[in-house]
Amino acid sequence: MQNEATTEIPVHLLFRDEPEPRPVPLGPAVVAGRTGPATGGQAAAAGERPRFRRPVPAKERPLAPQVDPDLAERPARVLPGTLGVAAGACGAAGCAAVSWWAGLVPPLAEEALRLPVYAGAGLGPAQWAAYAGAGALTLFGFGGLARGRTGRAWVLGLFGRYRGTVRRTGLMWVNPLMLRRRVDVRLRHWRSEPMSAADGNGVALRVVALVVWRVRDTARATLGVDDHETYLRECVEAALARVPVEPPGAGRGPVEASGEALTRRVARDAGAVGLEVFSVQPVRVEYAPEVAAAMNRRRIAALDAQQRASVLTSVVDSVEDTVTRLTMRGLVELDDYERKALVKDLTVAFCSGRGEQSP
């Protein structure tokens, strides 16, 4: 070891050397006349190890279905219906004038209309062009007329692009090249067919739900999904599969709680496609056919046991009241054996009387 030579090897650390913190003079933190605890910097200067809070993991919430955010209802540009009628009338009058110009009007019609006699220039390029212009004006004027109704809306599209929604009523003129889709925006209710559900214990049920809803955003309801009514039906079925429903015979409170939970879930899922759900209430709840017989027997047995417990309680109260009155008024003096015999006889008598009255 004495003949060996040693060499210093520099080691480069992966982190950068930071300057040592300067000592901070410690002083009492006076707040409102009281000495408070040391701050974080003071604790570090004093040599205390800083404490860090552990991040609390956020609860994962189920995300609602997303639709194109740019797809939203906006008003479409339409014209009053009187302009369309006037344009169509002008086009028809132009066609008649071109016919008279070309000499196609019969003499009898000219006499009836008191038109000046004109031999006509015939059907030339100018006449055909005038016919085309007047005919196009007539078609556009009369073809664009539409009637808006209360509670109905028109969703307009041009060459596959959404151009707006018309909620106006009365006669109006819409570009005849636009595709029109009528949407019912009134308040509607839908009564479902029996759907599969389960209660809190997992027992299979059949539920008929009543849904009160309406279309709030016509663009999303028409263009966001293929059929918004089918989508609403699927949302109700999915909610019934996730939310436990109270079985038949439950109180009013649990049934209302189930309805509120169903309403919240269906409203969240259907709101993404422009549907506004006001209420989802189970109007008929019954057990599924495969468990209906067993659950009915169980329910009848529970009612029978409850009735027997009620009858036994009333009999015991009656016997106790009878024995207490006899002894307190001094009508009889009973020892323990006689008291037991009297209680036994009264119990048998009251139970027999209850049994005869129950049928």
Side-chain angles (χ1 to χ4, degrees):
M1 295 296 293
Q2 297 179 357
N3 297 330
E4 295 293 335
T6 59
T7 305
E8 295 182 358
I9 301 177
V11 178
H12 299 281
L13 299 179
L14 298 179
F15 54 86
R16 183 168 44 185
D17 295 338
E18 296 182 357
E20 297 181 358
R22 296 180 180 179
V24 179
L26 299 179
V30 180
V31 178
R34 294 179 300 175
T35 303
T39 59
Q42 296 173 354
E48 297 181 3
R49 188 173 184 180
R51 298 179 181 179
F52 299 96
R53 295 182 179 180
R54 295 183 179 179
V56 180
K59 296 182 179 180
E60 297 183 359
R61 297 182 179 179
L63 299 178
Q66 299 294 331
V67 186
D68 186 4
D70 297 333
L71 183 61
E73 180 181 334
R74 61 178 182 270
R77 297 179 180 179
V78 295
L79 298 176
T82 54
L83 296 180
V85 174
C90 291
C95 290
V98 173
S99 299
W100 176 79
W101 180 27
L104 301 179
V105 179
L108 295 178
E110 291 181 353
E111 294 179 1
L113 297 175
R114 297 180 181 181
L115 297 176
V117 179
Y118 180 69
L123 290 175
Q127 286 77 13
W128 284 114
Y131 261 128
L137 183 60
T138 304
L139 292 178
F140 266 78
F142 291 132
L145 294 177
R147 182 181 62 176
R149 298 181 179 180
T150 303
R152 301 296 177 92
W154 293 95
V155 177
L156 307 181
L158 182 62
F159 304 120
R161 183 180 180 184
Y162 173 64
R163 303 300 297 177
T165 300
V166 180
R167 289 180 178 262
R168 295 175 55 179
T169 58
L171 188 63
M172 54 189 170
W173 185 86
V174 184
N175 187 354
L177 297 179
M178 291 186 179
L179 178 63
R180 310 174 190 176
R181 298 182 182 180
R182 179 176 293 180
V183 182
D184 190 351
V185 295
R186 296 174 296 181
L187 187 66
R188 304 165 64 183
H189 71 277
W190 170 66
R191 186 185 180 94
S192 69
E193 65 277 1
M195 295 183 176
S196 300
D199 61 359
N201 298 325
V203 180
L205 301 174
R206 291 287 182 178
V207 179
V208 176
L210 180 64
V211 185
V212 181
W213 64 285
R214 71 174 179 181
V215 176
R216 177 175 50 85
D217 192 321
T218 57
R220 292 189 175 186
T222 306
L223 306 176
V225 290
D226 188 16
D227 186 0
H228 57 269
E229 296 184 1
T230 304
Y231 181 81
L232 178 63
R233 184 182 300 108
E234 298 296 335
C235 288
V236 174
E237 187 173 359
L240 287 174
R242 292 176 176 269
V243 177
V245 181
E246 292 300 324
R252 182 177 179 181
V255 174
E256 291 182 353
S258 301
E260 292 177 359
L262 289 173
T263 302
R264 288 193 300 269
R265 182 173 290 274
V266 175
R268 184 191 62 187
D269 294 340
V273 296
L275 303 182
E276 187 175 5
V277 179
F278 296 95
S279 174
V280 181
Q281 296 295 333
V283 295
R284 191 179 68 186
V285 181
E286 57 186 12
Y287 291 106
E290 58 270 16
V291 298
M295 296 308 297
N296 285 334
R297 289 195 298 267
R298 179 180 177 183
R299 183 180 179 185
I300 292 174
L303 292 176
D304 190 12
Q306 183 179 2
Q307 183 180 5
R308 289 184 179 181
S310 176
V311 170
L312 182 59
T313 301
S314 62
V315 167
V316 171
D317 293 341
S318 301
V319 171
E320 182 182 4
D321 184 47
T322 302
V323 175
T324 302
R325 289 187 177 185
L326 290 175
T327 54
M328 290 184 64
R329 295 184 180 181
L331 299 178
V332 292
E333 294 182 0
L334 303 174
D335 55 5
D336 293 340
Y337 178 79
E338 293 175 345
R339 183 185 296 273
K340 293 180 180 178
L342 180 60
V343 168
K344 180 179 179 181
D345 295 340
L346 290 176
T347 302
V348 173
F350 285 149
C351 288
S352 300
R354 297 277 182 170
E356 294 176 357
Q357 295 176 3
S358 58

